Amino acid sequence: MARTELESAAESIAAAATAASDDETRERLQNQAAKFEDYATAEHGPDHGQLARHEHILKDIAGDEGGDVAEEIDDALEAITEFRSTLEGV
């Protein structure tokens, strides 16, 4: 299974963290980026449910932050969607 999409998502989320306007948002995004880094190297990647929860969190942050943060999150969401297309199920 190709994990480059997960690596790309982690990089975009980390870039969003750098652009975040406050420490709490920055920390939330850093935690999300770390999860995707873990997924990219794990034997078994995330399932649809896990990814849906991440997408929800990221969309909320993008809506609150806007600007560069939202653009980076949009890039991450595109990579997540690409990865999800490789998963069986839903």
Side-chain angles (χ1 to χ4, degrees):
M1 205 180 305
R3 300 291 173 96
T4 56
E5 293 90 356
L6 298 176
E7 292 168 0
S8 178
E11 291 170 6
S12 294
I13 297 167
T18 301
S21 64
D22 62 74
D23 290 339
E24 180 182 339
T25 302
R26 190 171 300 110
E27 184 176 337
R28 289 178 69 199
L29 287 167
Q30 288 169 341
N31 289 338
Q32 291 292 310
K35 289 278 190 186
F36 279 91
E37 289 171 7
D38 291 345
Y39 291 149
T41 59
E43 184 176 334
H44 298 286
D47 61 26
H48 283 289
Q50 290 169 308
L51 292 171
R53 286 188 292 277
H54 288 292
E55 288 173 327
H56 178 73
I57 291 167
L58 293 170
K59 287 176 184 178
D60 282 348
I61 294 171
D64 290 344
E65 286 286 311
D68 291 340
V69 173
E71 288 179 25
E72 292 292 349
I73 289 174
D74 284 346
D75 290 345
L77 291 171
E78 286 180 30
I80 293 167
T81 298
E82 287 179 38
F83 178 77
R84 284 183 84 173
S85 71
T86 68
L87 297 178
E88 291 184 22
V90 179

